[in-house]
Amino acid sequence: MSEKKEKKFTVSSFLDSKEKGEKITMLTAYDYTTAKLLDEAGVDSILVGDSLGMVMLGYDSTLKVTLEDVLHHTKAVVRGCNRALVIADMPYLTYHISVEETVRNAGRLIQEGGAHAVKLEGGEEILPMIKGLIRAQIPVLGHLGLTPQSVNMMGGYKVQGKSEESAKKILRDAKLLEEAGVFGIVLECVPDRLADYISKSLKIPTIGIGAGAGCDGQVLVIQDMLGMYQNLAPKFVKRYKNIGEQIKAGVSEYITEVKAGAFPQEQHTFKISDDVLEKLY
Ligand code: KIV
């Protein structure tokens, strides 16, 4: 008898969830083992974010991440997932030059990487690229508000949408992205009442990170919420576990035991017969 599999979460499930008023859960992952754990725990969607540049590769921003980096990590994540929708982030400069290059790059994330969808940062200025992707049958998740690939233009990682002009631009961009056919929009670091208003103005779901409880779903970077990446502590992160401290405690116990000869013990070793051993002398 075949094993009963849970229904896969798809881009249609994004829209169904919003219609039913069910919140969507999303977390980042960049490797097979973590993706498998998140999928088994029941997360709806996994984002192979370009945040991997910081939390996996140790860069100080996401700008150095390449398509090959995201492709490599996407392949691993996809192998670990059975139910979750896997979304690959398009890195800086992979969707800024032309529609043709954008489609080719996103196509690799889908065709070679096995991702189900891609995410791009930006609004009106990247609309032709988004439309090109959708024409090529590639589902797109938008990303507005604080868009980390624009850190140099924004003058730092700052909350966006506080002024009338900026709030109106985010709202206008959200509506343009919806019209273009994206299946959802990440809203990063925008005031909660703006995110709530945008969420209520759209049919597609919003996925918030630092955007309050009015969004239709939430996303966090897995290393942040499990306390593994300790270089930054953004206000919007809730630390659900302190795995970083547990790792350090486990490793220091291992070091102590190896130095003291307390590890390995009998149960960790393999045996050879006396007969074979004697023949070596
Ligand atoms: O790269 C990333 O992890 C992201 C999320 C924080 C939304 O874009």
Side-chain angles (χ1 to χ4, degrees):
M1 205 173 72
S2 72
E3 183 191 332
K4 185 175 174 288
K5 297 242 166 67
E6 253 203 277
K7 202 165 165 263
K8 286 193 190 295
F9 203 83
T10 65
V11 293
S12 313
S13 320
F14 262 71
L15 301 167
D16 294 348
S17 300
K18 174 143 183 165
E19 274 170 24
K20 289 189 208 143
E22 287 170 6
K23 296 276 187 189
I24 298 163
T25 56
M26 185 184 291
L27 286 167
T28 68
Y30 319 97
D31 67 280
Y32 167 81
T33 304
T34 309
K36 192 160 184 291
L37 290 170
L38 302 192
D39 189 72
E40 285 170 4
V43 75
D44 295 323
S45 178
I46 294 185
L47 173 67
V48 187
D50 63 355
S51 49
L52 72 86
M54 297 169 86
V55 300
M56 298 299 288
L57 305 177
Y59 298 147
D60 58 1
S61 79
T62 58
L63 295 175
K64 291 184 182 145
V65 175
T66 65
L67 189 73
E68 297 306 322
D69 292 332
V70 175
L71 195 53
H72 174 79
H73 288 275
T74 300
K75 288 178 187 172
V77 166
V78 167
R79 286 193 284 268
C81 288
N82 178 39
R83 173 184 174 268
L85 182 86
V86 179
I87 303 164
D89 220 355
M90 293 197 70
Y92 177 59
L93 276 192
T94 64
Y95 58 96
H96 301 79
I97 294 162
S98 68
V99 174
E100 194 182 316
E101 252 190 67
T102 306
V103 174
R104 188 166 295 123
N105 289 333
R108 287 191 67 199
L109 296 173
I110 304 287
Q111 199 170 43
E112 294 174 42
H116 305 117
V118 297
K119 175 171 83 60
L120 282 71
E121 296 181 5
E124 194 171 6
E125 58 290 354
I126 57 153
L127 220 48
M129 322 306 188
I130 291 179
K131 288 182 179 166
L133 291 175
I134 292 168
R135 267 199 308 275
Q137 306 301 302
I138 299 176
V140 177
L141 179 66
H143 185 159
L144 298 172
L146 197 174
T147 47
Q149 293 172 16
S150 310
V151 60
N152 293 324
M153 290 292 275
M154 288 177 170
Y157 298 105
K158 297 175 186 160
V159 176
Q160 303 294 309
K162 282 181 145 184
S163 69
E164 182 184 337
E165 190 193 354
S166 158
K168 280 185 173 161
K169 171 153 172 51
I170 299 173
L171 176 62
R172 192 175 58 244
D173 280 343
K175 289 187 172 162
L176 287 171
L177 292 192
E178 177 171 66
E179 273 168 36
V182 304
F183 68 88
I185 300 177
V186 169
L187 291 177
E188 178 163 355
C189 286
V190 299
D192 57 353
R193 287 191 294 166
L194 173 62
D196 184 65
Y197 183 74
I198 294 173
S199 304
K200 291 197 168 93
S201 311
L202 301 176
K203 288 203 175 65
I204 54 168
T206 58
I207 309 294
I209 172 160
C215 293
D216 304 300
Q218 296 293 325
V219 58
L220 282 175
V221 169
I222 189 75
Q223 276 79 357
D224 289 342
M225 60 90 79
L226 293 182
M228 292 167 76
Y229 183 75
Q230 296 166 344
N231 303 15
L232 296 170
K235 174 182 159 108
F236 57 78
V237 172
K238 178 170 175 187
R239 197 171 269 187
Y240 284 83
K241 294 282 173 208
N242 210 339
I243 304 292
E245 289 311 313
Q246 279 185 268
I247 290 176
K248 284 193 222 168
V251 170
S252 68
E253 200 179 324
Y254 167 77
I255 293 169
T256 307
E257 289 199 355
V258 171
K259 298 267 186 207
F263 173 82
Q265 295 165 333
E266 275 297 296
Q267 70 265 33
H268 307 120
T269 57
F270 304 99
K271 300 295 165 206
I272 189 171
S273 70
D274 292 344
D275 289 354
V276 176
L277 200 61
E278 273 161 20
K279 298 208 171 82
L280 301 179
Y281 299 143

